[in-house]
């Protein structure tokens, strides 16, 4: 039985991963920067990681933790570098020395969004600090671990997470409050349901897949279309979703516009890809309508 170390166990992907591994009955060490955790790790202090990991044994290190606030990374590139690049590099060296495989989560923000959706063979060209550091970390992981690294690029991850900030919850909160929400009509990506992402990556790991894989929802659409699909599923007045141009959102970091990920390589290896939003949203709507926020 494999022993798993999940770094970022409290995050959206980390939580679903820990749940899926626990359901398989596989031993998991939950690592994060706050309790409850089996191991406290602060990726903002890469120099402390070797000591924090001393004596630990794992077969697979899942690197889900990241500084995911894209505009925050643009405002504080040093912090982004420590969390998104320097710490992954330290963890990769630890894994290489201890014979452990690593699954690293990356992003379609490694692309510039001029000609998406992108395959694994397309050259990255990130526009933002976040994208640059994630891409540099991909390279460090591959160089340090070779065939023991699996780099998973994903996009627009969402899930039911009351009080959380993923896009599904942002739209749900706006609908619940009757508050208009401006959303980009010119940003394209794949909405990816977190539990589906975890299922697909576990299928890759079960097949001992290595290298680079795009793991994202089956449909590429605009943010505005995704927001409208959420509204249509949950209910709420259509005029609350306000499609706008990205340049009118005043975001600090540039966003790739025609982004999105092609998932044919994943399909070929595991035989499925994460579902498109409609069936997932229909499922979520049964427990998460804007009129019943307390039902979560
Ligand atoms: N969410 C998306 O749409 C998306 C899209 C493409 C790629 N990805 C990638 O997928 C991965 C998982 O994303 P997610 O949606 O699960 O993100 P998330 O919900 O923001 O979770 C990030 C996790 O990283 C942890 N973290 C942040 N700073 C840390 C630090 N200094 N030390 C230790 N832990 C720290 C957070 O801890 P706290 O819980 O304490 O805050 C949180 O648990 C990331 O690598 C991200 O780059 C995500």
């Amino acid at each position: 039985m494999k022993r798993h170390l999940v770094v970022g166990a409290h995050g959206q992907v980390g939580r679903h991963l820990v749940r899926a591994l626990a359901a398989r009955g596989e031993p998991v060490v939950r690592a994060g920067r706050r309790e409850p955790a089996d191991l406290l790790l602060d990726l903002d202090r890469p120099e402390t990681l070797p000591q924090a990991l001393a004596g630990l044994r794992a077969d697979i290190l899942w690197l889900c933790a990241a500084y995911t606030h894209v505009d925050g990374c643009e405002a504080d590139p040093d912090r982004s570098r420590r969390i998104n690049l320097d710490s992954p590099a330290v963890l990769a060296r630890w894994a290489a020395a201890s014979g452990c495989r690593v699954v690293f989560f990356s992003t379609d923000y490694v692309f510039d969004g001029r000609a998406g959706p992108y395959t694994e063979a397309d050259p990255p060209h990130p526009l933002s600090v976040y994208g640059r550091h994630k891409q540099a970390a991909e390279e460090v992981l591959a160089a340090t671990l070779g065939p023991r690294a699996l780099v998973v690029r994903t996009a627009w991850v969402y899930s039911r997470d009351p009080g959380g900030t993923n896009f599904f919850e942002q739209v749900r909160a706006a609908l619940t409050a009757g508050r208009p929400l401006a959303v980009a009509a010119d940003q394209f990506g794949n909405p990816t349901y977190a539990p589906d992402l975890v299922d697909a990556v576990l299928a890759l790991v079960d097949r001992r897949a290595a290298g680079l894989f795009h793991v994202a929802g089956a449909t590429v659409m605009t943010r505005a279309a995704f927001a409208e699909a959420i509204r249509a599923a949950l209910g709420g007045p259509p005029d609350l979703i306000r499609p706008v141009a990205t340049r009118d959102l005043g975001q600090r970091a540039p966003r790739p516009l025609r982004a999105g990920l092609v998932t044919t390589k994943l399909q070929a290896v595991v035989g499925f890809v994460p579902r498109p939003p409609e069936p997932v949203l229909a499922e979520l709507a049964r427990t998460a309508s804007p009129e019943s926020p307390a039902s979560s």
Side-chain angles (χ1 to χ4, degrees), residues 11-13 33-34 42-44 65-66 68 105-106 130 134 157:
Q12 182 180 207
V13 172
R33 62 179 164 178
R34 60 189 162 89
D42 183 0
L43 271 54
D44 203 15
T68 53
F105 287 89
S106 188
Y130 171 74
K134 294 294 283 190
V157 183

Side-chain angles (χ1 to χ4, degrees), residues 78-166:
D78 291 341
R79 182 169 184 220
S80 172
R81 168 176 282 277
R82 290 191 297 275
I83 297 173
N84 292 336
L85 176 54
D86 296 344
S87 283
V90 173
L91 292 171
R93 285 196 294 277
W94 175 82
S98 59
C100 169
R101 290 158 71 197
V102 175
V103 180
F104 175 68
F105 287 89
S106 188
T107 167
D108 65 339
Y109 281 24
V110 301
F111 295 112
D112 61 19
R114 295 208 178 99
Y118 296 96
T119 72
E120 291 85 351
D122 288 315
H125 181 227
L127 302 176
S128 62
V129 168
Y130 171 74
R132 279 197 290 281
H133 288 158
K134 294 294 283 190
Q135 191 223 333
E138 288 181 357
E139 287 177 2
V140 169
L141 264 287
T144 309
L145 287 147
R148 288 214 302 276
L150 172 63
V151 173
V152 169
R153 288 190 189 134
T154 189
W156 297 11
V157 183
Y158 69 99
S159 58
R160 182 83 175 94
D161 178 23
T165 56
N166 78 75

Side-chain angles (χ1 to χ4, degrees), residues 35 40 55 57 98 107 118-119 137 164 167 189 198 276 278 294:
E35 300 284 3
L40 286 173
R57 243 207 69 252
S98 59
T107 167
Y118 296 96
T119 72
F167 192 68
V198 165
E278 291 77 9

Side-chain angles (χ1 to χ4, degrees), residues 233-247:
L234 299 187
D239 61 347
L240 288 183
I241 305 299
R242 306 264 165 91
V244 299
T246 294
R247 65 173 174 278

